[in-house]
Amino acid sequence: MLHDAMPGTAEHLAANQPITGYIGFDPTAASLHIGNLATIMLLVHLQRAGHRPVALVGGATGMIGDPSGKSSERNLLDEETLRRNQDGIRQQLEKFLDFTPGPTAAVVVNNYDWFKEFGFLQFLRDVGKHLTVNYMMAKDSVKRRLGTADNDGSDAPEQRAEGLSFTEFSYQLLQGYDFLHLYKTLNCTLQMGGSDQWGNITTGTELIRRLAGSEAKAYALTCPLVTKADGSKFGKSESGNVWLSPELTSPYQFYQFWLNATDADAPRLIRVFTLLSEDEITALETEHAQAPHLRTLQKALAKDVTTRVHSAAEYEASVAASEILFGKGDLATLQSLDEKTLLSVFEGVPQLQVTRAQAASLTAADLLSEVTDYQIFSSKGEAKKMIQGGGVSLNRQKVSGADQQVGELPLVLDKYLVAQKGKKNYYLIALT
């Protein structure tokens, strides 16, 4: 997980226990996403190694937006939205870090608390004068947006054209002051983050060196940005970001994201995002290599991360929900799902509607053909033939005959019928 570290960082960690280290999180949404999870794991490992983790929620810097890795300036958020987002992020961090009082107890801070009374002129006088424009312009995050970065393939044309507002240019100075403030108030000597944060982090170490005295020591450590084996961005599904919040990404969808990791990605992901030992991972890799189709690595990865982000119960429910599409599970399994999970499971299948009044007097053959606009069977005769052959089920129960009354069937959540034609063709019928 190590990408870069300032000289002396390893020795500082080994010789001083506990040290205090922090990572900043940008509250641009009410939830963190799995792109943030790698840096959360840095804090987890820091605490497990006997040190004190600090999570900084950027209530002040979030009003500006970090230009690192961005091709354009983001929309600015109001204070009320930021406060709401901060509350959601803190609740998520509490799932990973131990806040039990003690020398290694985790701490959550908000930089708005020390910036809200800091006047602009005072900041320029007390902080801004200690770093030159030349120093700040040398940062890669600035050079890429201005089109002056080395031609390494990362400075896309749109980045050169966009330019950089003074608001964003000042971001590294604000983040640098965060480090200085935490150094003075919490004796925080280490800042960590993704590799794209190196410039911002070292601005903080430079401010500490200049403002806290010649004896002051501060260190920087970054982890690699997690990408897929093909080089594409990690952390997004076809429908967008994969969030840690169950309201934004259901536990089932979250579980599926990890379960669908490729064989090329799984070995790295399981090392970054789980707390399994190297021996455990090696054993899983050996087992996976013997029968890749069983997806041993992906299942272990999905179990560990889903359980820690959500719960063991949500993991078990997600496994049960996943098996439904593979012909496993019975009516009780279906009925155990909440509506959000049920809709997530059948998100990619045809979803049809029938009124309750219609359903009360329908036969199975009518329901599966004419009443659902022939989307399940193209004719009533075809429906009857497959029902007679035992190839049709409603809510995991074989349809006994073409004339079976739909009104007599048990419903899922008192509303749904899951129709299955053959082994793999599913339809979700909602009674309205």
Side-chain angles (χ1 to χ4, degrees):
M1 291 182 69
L2 179 65
H3 180 267
D4 206 352
M6 287 181 62
T9 301
E11 293 77 7
H12 176 64
L13 285 165
N16 300 275
Q17 196 169 21
I19 67 109
T20 299
Y22 94 95
I23 293 176
F25 296 93
D26 200 351
T28 51
S31 170
L32 298 172
H33 51 74
I34 61 173
N36 303 120
L37 206 48
T39 51
I40 293 175
M41 292 304 294
L42 284 180
L43 289 177
V44 171
H45 287 299
L46 184 75
Q47 188 170 47
R48 284 163 59 89
H51 302 293
R52 179 169 66 158
V54 174
L56 183 150
V57 180
T61 43
M63 292 181 173
I64 293 175
D66 182 5
S68 302
K70 307 294 188 301
S71 61
S72 60
E73 186 166 5
R74 69 181 64 182
N75 294 328
L76 305 186
L77 301 178
D78 60 78
E79 184 180 344
E80 181 182 351
T81 301
L82 287 167
R83 284 291 184 189
R84 185 169 59 249
N85 292 352
Q86 292 152 30
D87 290 341
I89 290 171
R90 181 192 170 95
Q91 292 173 19
Q92 291 173 345
L93 291 172
E94 288 174 347
K95 295 182 178 181
F96 297 91
L97 303 173
D98 185 1
F99 287 79
T100 305
T104 64
V107 179
V108 174
V109 296
N110 177 1
N111 63 8
Y112 184 74
D113 292 335
W114 55 83
F115 275 121
K116 62 184 177 183
E117 304 297 338
F118 208 154
F120 178 66
L121 294 178
Q122 181 188 357
F123 185 79
L124 291 179
R125 183 190 65 192
D126 296 347
V127 181
K129 71 176 184 179
H130 293 283
L131 291 180
T132 67
V133 170
N134 288 348
Y135 176 85
M136 296 174 69
M137 292 278 287
K139 302 296 184 180
D140 285 343
S141 60
V142 174
K143 291 197 293 184
R144 289 191 179 117
R145 286 285 291 277
L146 296 179
T148 57
D150 295 335
N151 186 19
D152 59 358
S154 60
D155 52 331
E158 63 268 25
Q159 290 178 309
R160 293 196 296 269
E162 176 66 26
L164 189 71
S165 71
F166 176 77
T167 302
E168 288 185 295
F169 182 62
S170 67
Y171 186 95
Q172 64 170 293
L173 199 56
L174 295 171
Q175 184 171 325
Y177 183 78
D178 284 340
F179 199 175
L180 174 65
H181 177 85
L182 295 178
Y183 178 88
K184 290 180 176 180
T185 58
L186 296 178
N187 192 29
C188 181
T189 54
L190 175 68
Q191 184 182 172
M192 303 182 293
S195 58
D196 61 338
Q197 291 296 309
W198 182 258
N200 290 335
I201 295 174
T202 53
T203 294
T205 62
E206 183 67 11
L207 271 179
I208 291 171
R209 185 182 70 82
R210 296 189 182 198
L211 290 173
S214 59
E215 299 300 316
K217 299 291 184 182
Y219 300 88
L221 184 152
T222 59
C223 65
L225 297 180
V226 182
T227 57
K228 296 180 181 179
D230 61 6
S232 63
K233 186 174 182 179
F234 173 80
K236 288 183 178 289
S237 67
E238 291 182 1
S239 57
N241 280 328
V242 179
W243 302 94
L244 304 190
S245 166
E247 283 73 38
L248 296 174
T249 299
S250 73
Y252 169 77
Q253 293 168 323
F254 187 87
Y255 170 79
Q256 284 292 317
F257 176 84
W258 301 99
L259 190 64
N260 290 328
T262 66
D263 286 348
D265 291 325
R268 183 184 180 199
L269 298 181
I270 202 168
R271 285 173 168 82
V272 172
F273 294 105
T274 78
L275 295 175
L276 299 175
S277 69
E278 185 62 29
D279 287 344
E280 289 173 312
I281 293 173
T282 300
L284 287 168
E285 288 177 323
T286 300
E287 184 180 347
H288 183 93
Q290 293 170 351
H293 66 284
L294 297 179
R295 303 184 72 75
T296 302
L297 269 180
Q298 288 90 337
K299 288 178 180 178
L301 170 66
K303 178 180 181 179
D304 185 278
V305 184
T306 304
T307 299
R308 283 186 297 115
V309 170
H310 296 294
S311 68
E314 291 288 8
Y315 160 72
E316 295 292 347
S318 297
V319 172
S322 297
E323 291 181 341
I324 288 171
L325 291 180
F326 293 97
K328 300 178 182 179
D330 53 14
L331 174 62
T333 304
L334 280 173
Q335 291 177 328
S336 70
L337 303 180
D338 59 76
E339 186 169 27
K340 188 170 184 178
T341 302
L342 180 75
L343 294 176
S344 295
V345 171
F346 295 104
E347 185 177 20
V349 309
Q351 298 194 12
L352 314 171
Q353 291 186 346
V354 176
T355 67
R356 289 182 183 273
Q358 281 181 301
S361 58
L362 283 177
T363 65
D366 288 329
L367 173 73
L368 298 171
S369 57
E370 180 182 359
V371 176
T372 48
D373 294 327
Y374 301 105
Q375 294 186 61
I376 302 176
F377 288 101
S378 59
S379 69
K380 189 172 180 179
E382 183 186 355
K384 286 182 176 181
K385 183 177 180 181
M386 197 160 188
I387 289 171
Q388 290 169 357
V392 181
S393 66
L394 287 168
N395 286 349
R396 282 284 186 243
Q397 297 182 336
K398 291 286 185 184
V399 177
S400 59
D403 294 330
Q404 182 174 356
Q405 294 297 304
V406 174
E408 298 174 356
L409 295 171
L411 299 177
V412 175
L413 300 174
D414 193 37
K415 181 179 180 181
Y416 295 101
L417 287 167
V418 175
Q420 183 178 355
K421 180 176 72 173
K423 290 185 177 180
K424 297 182 179 180
N425 297 306
Y426 289 89
Y427 305 83
L428 184 64
I429 304 171
L431 272 59
T432 62

